[in-house]
Amino acid sequence: MDALEIRELRYFVAVAEELHFGRAAARLGMAQPPLSRAIQRLERRLGVRLLERDRRGVTLTGAGEMLLHEGRAALDAATAAVRRTRRAGGADGTGSSRNRLVLAVKAGSSHELLHKLLDAYAAEPGAAEVEVLPSGTCEQGEMLRDGRADVALMHKPFNSLVGFDSEELMTEGQVAILPAGHPLAARGSLTVAEVTDLPDLPLARWARDGVYPPGPGPEIRDQTQLAQLIALGRTVAVFPESARAWLWAEHTAVPLTDAPPVVTHIAWPAHSRSLALAALIRTATRL
């Protein structure tokens, strides 16, 4: 046996992530008995045990952990194929029949670079329509994998480029974004330690892979929320230097002398054969 159905993978991934047949069945919108039978049939076809079931619950075997990892990637690839095909054919519900690319960007970063890229590409003959899709701090990779985006501006060391092709576009320093009235806002420079241990101004927390890191700072969902909380004196954030473009009058950006440089890359799926995407990449590397 060398083939799996998408439906089988979706069933298994739901059970493997929930580690509970009842919750997985509810998530899938089906009854539990047929889900249990489907997993049993899958195990028989593969010839391996994927799950251990006992009174304490459900755990993954080594084979199950492997299928969860590979299954997630396969489901993302299948979803991406559908999304990109519909987008290329103008059947994605946007009302546009023109070839379209979706560019994922971290909200508030690479503002000037993004403007230059969009303007330069729009001037190219036969340029595709480019939709800019703002994302959270570490969401761009997931958006590329599941097809929500065709290309992304990603930032090392915050984003992983594993599995993607990429070109380096720019390198910049980092700044602390503080309330304008805070005592540290008058400083010419700061260290990372000075802004990560402020009892009166806890560091903002962004979700990574859907999980917020521990800490006293507020959980941030979008740039507007962050900007308002900084202006109100409730938090501080660390961003690349280019984030100065979106600062409010109530904000002050202070350079961080010991923060690692941020390298902006344009990244895309390694298997892409899109001519429109290739043209966008060429434009980016000429900036």
Side-chain angles (χ1 to χ4, degrees):
M1 181 212 140
D2 57 1
L4 289 174
E5 296 181 6
I6 295 296
R7 174 179 54 85
E8 292 178 308
L9 282 178
R10 192 172 72 251
Y11 286 0
F12 172 74
V13 168
V15 174
E17 289 181 342
E18 298 291 344
L19 292 177
H20 190 282
F21 277 89
R23 290 194 299 268
R27 168 174 154 181
L28 293 165
M30 64 187 298
Q32 181 174 334
L35 175 60
S36 298
R37 291 194 294 270
I39 298 300
Q40 290 170 355
R41 286 195 299 270
L42 177 60
E43 289 179 319
R44 288 196 297 270
R45 290 177 59 206
L46 290 173
V48 296
R49 183 174 290 279
L50 300 170
L51 303 167
E52 296 289 354
R53 310 159 179 86
D54 57 33
R55 294 178 180 177
R56 292 173 295 179
V58 178
T59 57
L60 289 170
T61 65
E65 291 178 354
M66 176 62 72
L67 185 58
L68 175 59
H69 174 75
E70 298 291 342
R72 282 170 170 160
L75 289 175
D76 280 347
T79 301
V82 171
R83 285 174 169 161
R84 292 192 175 112
T85 299
R86 291 177 60 81
R87 190 153 58 235
D92 57 351
T94 63
S96 174
S97 60
R98 183 181 174 191
N99 190 15
R100 190 165 61 94
L101 294 171
V102 176
L103 170 62
V105 298
K106 184 174 77 172
S109 293
S110 308
H111 187 76
E112 183 178 356
L113 174 65
L114 180 59
H115 265 293
K116 289 180 179 179
L117 173 58
L118 294 176
D119 289 346
Y121 179 65
E124 293 289 326
E129 177 185 352
V130 178
E131 176 188 343
V132 177
L133 182 62
S135 68
T137 301
C138 297
E139 292 180 340
Q140 299 98 310
E142 182 181 345
M143 289 176 169
L144 288 180
R145 283 187 287 271
D146 68 15
R148 282 176 289 168
D150 302 296
V151 59
L153 294 183
M154 300 173 72
H155 311 276
K156 293 188 70 174
F158 306 113
N159 299 122
S160 171
L161 297 171
V162 174
F164 304 120
D165 285 340
S166 66
E167 289 284 350
E168 182 178 324
L169 300 183
M170 64 178 286
T171 300
E172 59 185 320
Q174 297 193 63
V175 295
I177 302 176
L178 300 135
H182 193 275
L184 291 181
R187 295 271 296 276
S189 64
L190 293 167
T191 65
V192 172
E194 286 177 308
V195 298
T196 55
D197 190 25
L198 294 172
D200 63 327
L201 209 63
L203 194 66
R205 293 181 294 141
W206 292 88
R208 296 195 179 202
D209 299 320
V211 178
Y212 285 94
E219 296 180 352
I220 302 301
R221 296 180 298 277
D222 57 53
Q223 181 186 331
T224 301
Q225 177 202 22
L226 174 64
Q228 185 172 37
L229 289 175
I230 294 174
L232 291 171
R234 302 299 178 89
T235 191
V236 60
V238 174
F239 267 82
E241 179 80 23
S242 56
R244 290 178 182 271
W246 59 263
L247 296 189
W248 297 2
E250 296 90 346
H251 301 155
T252 296
V254 181
L256 294 173
T257 58
D258 59 345
V262 176
V263 183
T264 300
H265 294 251
I266 189 166
W268 64 96
H271 61 270
S272 177
R273 297 295 182 270
S274 167
L275 296 178
L277 175 57
L280 179 66
I281 303 304
R282 286 196 300 272
T283 301
T285 58
R286 292 198 297 263
L287 294 177

